[in-house]
Amino acid sequence: MFDVGSGRRDRYTQDVFRSVGDGGSALLERLTLRSVNLPANRLLIGEGEIGNALYRIARGWGYRYRVFADASRQILDFLLPGELVGLGAALLGVTDHSVRSLTPLRASALDARLVAEAFRGEPELAVRLVRYVAAEADRVEELLTVIGCGDAVERLAFLMLSLYRRQAHRSRVDPLDTPFPLRRQHMADALGLTGAHVNRTLNRLRQDGVAIVENRRLSIRDLPRLAALAGVPTAAI
Amino acid sequence: MFDVGSGRRDRYTQDVFRSVGDGGSALLERLTLRSVNLPANRLLIGEGEIGNALYRIARGWGYRYRVFADASRQILDFLLPGELVGLGAALLGVTDHSVRSLTPLRASALDARLVAEAFRGEPELAVRLVRYVAAEADRVEELLTVIGCGDAVERLAFLMLSLYRRQAHRSRVDPLDTPFPLRRQHMADALGLTGAHVNRTLNRLRQDGVAIVENRRLSIRDLPRLAALAGVPTAAI
DNA sequence: CGTGGGCTTGATAGTCCTCAAGTCGGGTGG
DNA sequence: CCACCCGACTTGAGGACTATCAAGCCCACG
């Protein structure tokens, strides 16, 4: 008996295929098509082509975004090594977002029929896939909340904490020296700010001894304060 | 053979149980527990209790929201008659949002085991449920985009258009006289604005002949212009 | 070494918020 | 039936935050 909605607080569901049993691993192996390599800042999936494309990121970071009025863009989520790309869209059919590499990226393309087969014969895997999508949606809702309610300092604190925790969840990382490959403009586009103001706000966070972003790395100097700014109850750190 | 990610552009997936076949209808009937009635502005599901609660709205509107830093709130989505409440949370296990009635509300509670049973023995229904969650997530991403990229006029235009289209999708409604039971504060909390500024912006939209909100009803006077403001390509109206 | 992209910083302006007072309308109790 | 009352709406003035625009700097890279 697999558990659905059993209350596990597994918000950062990753490694979808790990410990799924023979069926899941076999499916994964059988449906891996090819490997792609991208330099930084290239289109992996264009707006509209989603639905057939399904990738698993082997190395590097990416992000998915929507364009607004053919002018600006909103980054919806960042994609870390080990995570899946295009799963949510594969379930809905089509969505209007694109995916781009943030750093040099290596990903393996999966056959989108994986999803259909999972639903047909691997309910346990299907549940994992759905949980994955729900966790993605949860992150977007968190981001929406901090953008709708918070000022620039709180938004940046949230972004730092969120990306730090996602990395810490999957591997041991030093809070004082975490990978953080976003440029100013990426933070701006994710948080509804401008690059210039992101820069000013980062300065303030550094001066206040909260956190430092430098050389594509994040150094968290005061985790409790960062979490407080990000709107996270201190108990949940 | 049921279709998964087949490219159907069914973004407003509703009536999840309609035409699912015997299994789906039987499940729905068997797992309907009781009916609840709420006056306007009452808590239907509190933050954290989600996961076991699953409702289907029979009459009235609701909305789900998150609180930020114990002070303000972000409305994530509105819930219209016929729609499901708590499904996304039932899949993930727990999320930190609450659900409240916007108008007087009648809803029937469903047994959350519906989800588990669907995955075990009704793959077609499971796919529909997942599509439903994906469509919800899609709406949240649209909202995030317009809040991150647009000004007050564009945000309000988006909200009007979005709620109009969701109603038009399920029943014939007059664009010149659509139900729109949100107060100023609801629009503000959904769009990252203040009630006062929502009011000023509504005035401008009325003076510009785009749309009028009055007496809990929306009157769209210039649909193409409204859509353009909302960031929707004119072809997609 | 030249070059280009990203970063940094300043000055200015605009959007939106805050606070507050006044108005309106619907519901309630006398 | 009327007076009251409370919540929602409306509008104004002032201020805070963030955007815009622009220029110079630094560094990585060819």
Side-chain angles (χ1 to χ4, degrees), chain A residues 182-185 196 199-200 203 216:
Chain A
L182 321 200
R183 333 262 27 203
R184 301 289 183 269
Q185 194 58 47
N199 198 55
R200 283 184 259 263
N203 288 345
R216 325 277 185 282

Side-chain angles (χ1 to χ4, degrees), chain A residues 59-134:
Chain A
R59 192 168 37 80
W61 290 38
Y63 61 94
R64 59 196 187 88
Y65 64 96
R66 278 175 187 250
V67 297
F68 179 77
D70 295 335
S72 53
R73 69 180 182 182
Q74 174 65 44
I75 291 180
L76 305 168
D77 198 8
F78 292 92
L79 307 164
L80 274 54
E83 299 187 346
L84 298 181
V85 184
L87 181 57
L91 295 173
L92 183 54
V94 168
T95 53
D96 300 326
H97 69 246
S98 308
V99 179
R100 217 170 250 282
S101 59
L102 180 62
T103 69
L105 196 70
R106 189 161 58 79
S108 45
L110 307 180
D111 191 326
R113 281 174 299 176
L114 167 69
V115 181
E117 299 214 12
F119 273 85
R120 190 183 310 139
E122 297 284 343
E124 194 173 344
L125 177 58
V127 169
R128 276 175 177 265
L129 294 174
V130 169
R131 279 242 180 84
Y132 192 88
V133 174

Side-chain angles (χ1 to χ4, degrees), chain A residues 14-192:
Chain A
Q14 292 165 0
D15 285 328
V16 191
F17 302 104
R18 191 175 52 186
S19 71
V20 170
D22 299 337
S25 311
L27 260 179
L28 176 60
E29 193 165 325
R30 184 155 54 84
L31 295 177
T32 297
L33 296 179
R34 67 190 187 284
S35 189
V36 299
N37 273 285
L38 281 182
N41 200 30
R42 294 297 168 80
L43 203 60
L44 176 63
I45 304 177
E47 167 182 351
E49 351 167 347
I50 299 200
N52 299 319
L54 186 61
Y55 295 95
R56 181 187 183 150
I57 297 183
R59 192 168 37 80
W61 290 38
Y63 61 94
R64 59 196 187 88
Y65 64 96
R66 278 175 187 250
V67 297
F68 179 77
D70 295 335
S72 53
R73 69 180 182 182
Q74 174 65 44
I75 291 180
L76 305 168
D77 198 8
F78 292 92
L79 307 164
L80 274 54
E83 299 187 346
L84 298 181
V85 184
L87 181 57
L91 295 173
L92 183 54
V94 168
T95 53
D96 300 326
H97 69 246
S98 308
V99 179
R100 217 170 250 282
S101 59
L102 180 62
T103 69
L105 196 70
R106 189 161 58 79
S108 45
L110 307 180
D111 191 326
R113 281 174 299 176
L114 167 69
V115 181
E117 299 214 12
F119 273 85
R120 190 183 310 139
E122 297 284 343
E124 194 173 344
L125 177 58
V127 169
R128 276 175 177 265
L129 294 174
V130 169
R131 279 242 180 84
Y132 192 88
V133 174
E136 269 187 347
D138 205 56
R139 282 200 300 270
V140 174
E141 293 184 357
E142 278 185 359
L143 180 59
L144 171 59
T145 302
V146 80
I147 290 184
C149 297
D151 62 13
V153 171
E154 294 166 326
R155 296 183 200 186
L156 268 164
F158 169 82
L159 183 62
M160 293 175 182
L161 187 65
S162 170
L163 291 177
Y164 163 67
R165 293 217 283 180
R166 280 171 74 181
Q167 294 182 76
H169 179 267
R170 84 173 6 257
S171 66
R172 189 154 286 295
V173 293
D174 182 1
L176 291 170
D177 186 34
T178 311
F180 198 82
L182 321 200
R183 333 262 27 203
R184 301 289 183 269
Q185 194 58 47
H186 295 120
M187 304 182 222
D189 290 344
L191 299 176

Side-chain angles (χ1 to χ4, degrees), chain B residues 12 14 61 78 80 139 156-182 211 213 217-224 226-227 236-237:
Chain B
Y12 298 105
Q14 291 165 3
W61 291 37
F78 292 92
L80 273 56
R139 282 199 301 269
L156 268 165
F158 169 82
L159 183 63
M160 293 175 183
L161 186 66
S162 171
L163 290 177
Y164 163 67
R165 294 218 281 180
R166 280 170 75 181
Q167 294 181 76
H169 179 267
R170 87 172 5 258
S171 66
R172 188 154 288 294
V173 294
D174 181 1
L176 290 171
D177 186 34
T178 312
F180 198 82
L182 322 200
V213 170
R217 309 202 60 94
L218 165 67
S219 176
I220 300 178
R221 301 306 177 95
D222 190 338
L223 186 53
L226 188 71
I237 303 174

Side-chain angles (χ1 to χ4, degrees), chain B:
Chain B
M1 179 83 61
F2 49 91
D3 57 343
V4 180
S6 62
R8 285 180 57 209
R9 308 188 133 264
D10 199 356
R11 306 174 73 126
Y12 298 105
T13 308
Q14 291 165 3
D15 285 329
V16 192
F17 303 104
R18 191 175 53 185
S19 71
V20 169
D22 299 337
S25 312
L27 260 179
L28 176 60
E29 192 165 325
R30 183 153 56 82
L31 295 176
T32 296
L33 295 179
R34 66 188 188 286
S35 189
V36 299
N37 273 286
L38 281 182
N41 201 30
R42 293 298 167 80
L43 203 60
L44 177 62
I45 305 177
E47 166 181 350
E49 349 166 351
I50 298 200
N52 300 318
L54 186 61
Y55 295 94
R56 181 189 176 131
I57 298 183
R59 192 169 38 79
W61 291 37
Y63 60 94
R64 58 195 188 90
Y65 64 97
R66 278 175 187 250
V67 297
F68 178 77
D70 294 335
S72 53
R73 69 180 182 182
Q74 174 65 44
I75 291 180
L76 305 169
D77 199 6
F78 292 92
L79 307 164
L80 273 56
E83 300 187 346
L84 298 180
V85 185
L87 181 57
L91 294 172
L92 183 54
V94 169
T95 53
D96 299 327
H97 69 244
S98 308
V99 179
R100 213 169 255 279
S101 60
L102 180 62
T103 69
L105 195 71
R106 189 161 58 80
S108 46
L110 307 180
D111 191 325
R113 281 173 299 175
L114 167 68
V115 182
E117 298 214 11
F119 273 86
R120 191 183 311 140
E122 298 285 343
E124 194 174 344
L125 178 58
V127 168
R128 275 174 177 267
L129 294 174
V130 168
R131 278 241 182 86
Y132 192 87
V133 173
E136 269 187 348
D138 205 55
R139 282 199 301 269
V140 174
E141 293 184 357
E142 278 185 359
L143 180 60
L144 171 57
T145 302
V146 80
I147 290 184
C149 298
D151 62 14
V153 172
E154 294 166 327
R155 296 182 200 185
L156 268 165
F158 169 82
L159 183 63
M160 293 175 183
L161 186 66
S162 171
L163 290 177
Y164 163 67
R165 294 218 281 180
R166 280 170 75 181
Q167 294 181 76
H169 179 267
R170 87 172 5 258
S171 66
R172 188 154 288 294
V173 294
D174 181 1
L176 290 171
D177 186 34
T178 312
F180 198 82
L182 322 200
R183 321 321 304 267
R184 301 288 182 269
Q185 194 59 46
H186 295 123
M187 305 182 220
D189 290 345
L191 300 176
L193 301 170
T194 59
H197 198 63
V198 164
N199 197 56
R200 283 184 261 263
T201 308
L202 287 177
N203 287 346
R204 190 182 321 177
L205 284 170
R206 170 161 29 81
Q207 286 161 16
D208 291 353
V210 177
I212 301 176
V213 170
E214 210 172 40
N215 290 111
R216 324 280 185 280
R217 309 202 60 94
L218 165 67
S219 176
I220 300 178
R221 301 306 177 95
D222 190 338
L223 186 53
R225 200 129 56 100
L226 188 71
L229 286 172
V232 177
T234 42
I237 303 174

